[in-house]
Amino acid sequence: MAGSWLGRIIVYDKMAKVQIEASWLEKLQPEFDKPYFEQLIQFVKTEYAQCTCYPPGALIFNAFNLCPLPKVKVVLIGQDPYHEPQQAHGLCFSVNDGVPFPPSLRNIFQEIQTDLGKPIPQSGNLTRWAEQGVLLLNATLTVRAHMAASHQKRGWEEFTDAVIRLVSAEREHVVFILWGSYAQSKAPLIDASKHCILRSAHPSPLSAYRGFFGNHHFSICNQYLQQHQIEPINW
């Protein structure tokens, strides 16, 4: 029976089945078959049925569907989806067209302007990054409206840790961008001998002036990709 709360993403029979881009499905199926993931899906199903949650169900795995595993060049790790209306659409730090920039995203664009000389864009929709090979991965993929961190420690982190390990194992010369202490805690999941790990303060207003501004991560990322004959990202 299809779970209407998730549109086409998740259906139920004897086990949860996730409709996700084929390259991810092939490699992540062992995670989908684990008991923790079944419990996670039941929790999320209940939350979406009883409360307003974000992102819309059909966009929970948007980051994966826009950026197949063989195309991943960069992994940018966030923590939690935005929890106010119209913001979250399955990509960390990104908002839908026409939505005002949250403070962290505004600071990201300011650093790109300083680092690369690019003008601040009109839209905060980062789909254009995802389609170039930037996996915009939140550690937790869902959230209850107006309640930050409300879906943490329910199983999403186990799943997204597996995603980070998978990218590290399957790909070469990926740039992992870790802003803030939470994202930096994921560094042990990454094989630093074959990937580039960039660390700095988080772009939030509380910490941006303590090491995010001036980190030059966007130019450093592109230099690393070009050194390995990989097309750079048009940030």
Side-chain angles (χ1 to χ4, degrees):
M1 175 178 178
S4 59
W5 64 282
L6 278 185
R8 67 183 186 278
I9 294 295
I10 297 176
V11 296
Y12 293 88
D13 47 25
K14 292 183 180 179
M15 301 189 73
K17 292 185 183 295
V18 178
Q19 290 188 4
I20 193 172
E21 191 276 331
S23 63
W24 292 109
L25 179 62
E26 177 185 359
K27 297 295 184 177
L28 290 172
Q29 189 61 55
E31 294 301 311
F32 300 145
D33 292 340
K34 290 179 180 178
Y36 87 85
F37 196 84
E38 177 72 16
Q39 295 166 7
L40 167 64
I41 292 309
Q42 294 300 334
F43 164 75
V44 176
K45 177 184 178 182
T46 300
E47 284 284 290
Y48 272 71
Q50 296 179 353
C51 312
T52 299
C53 295
Y54 302 120
L59 296 178
I60 290 174
F61 295 101
N62 196 27
F64 301 90
N65 293 332
L66 291 173
C67 185
L69 178 59
K71 295 185 178 181
V72 175
K73 303 175 184 179
V74 180
V75 179
L76 179 55
I77 298 176
Q79 189 164 355
D80 213 32
Y82 296 123
H83 52 81
E84 297 302 329
Q86 306 303 317
Q87 291 182 316
H89 63 128
L91 307 176
C92 72
F93 295 106
S94 179
V95 292
N96 285 298
D97 293 329
V99 175
F101 300 164
S104 291
L105 182 58
R106 186 165 54 247
N107 288 341
I108 289 168
F109 288 148
Q110 184 175 329
E111 174 60 21
I112 292 173
Q113 184 180 49
T114 301
D115 188 17
L116 300 175
K118 296 175 66 70
I120 293 175
Q122 297 296 309
S123 174
N125 188 330
L126 303 182
T127 295
R128 61 188 183 276
W129 292 4
E131 292 175 340
Q132 295 178 74
V134 182
L135 181 65
L136 294 163
L137 181 67
N138 274 317
T140 301
L141 297 188
T142 58
V143 69
R144 190 186 293 189
H146 318 302
M147 294 181 63
S150 51
H151 288 185
Q152 290 182 5
K153 300 181 180 178
R154 293 288 185 165
W156 279 128
E157 295 91 340
E158 185 171 351
F159 172 70
T160 53
D161 281 359
V163 170
I164 295 167
R165 282 192 293 264
L166 174 65
V167 174
S168 178
E170 293 284 328
R171 305 285 292 134
E172 291 186 348
H173 309 310
V174 170
V175 180
F176 289 83
I177 299 178
L178 311 181
W179 292 331
S181 59
Y182 182 82
Q184 290 173 32
S185 73
K186 306 297 182 179
L189 305 174
I190 304 162
D191 183 350
S193 71
K194 65 173 185 171
H195 301 293
C196 174
I197 303 176
L198 301 180
R199 301 172 174 88
S200 82
H202 195 274
S204 75
L206 295 175
S207 57
Y209 286 96
R210 297 202 296 264
F212 175 77
F213 287 133
N215 65 19
H216 299 287
H217 278 181
F218 302 97
S219 60
I220 294 170
C221 171
N222 279 352
Q223 289 166 9
Y224 176 86
L225 294 175
Q226 290 175 306
Q227 287 168 3
H228 293 90
Q229 291 73 55
I230 299 169
E231 185 74 19
I233 303 300
N234 180 9
W235 299 108

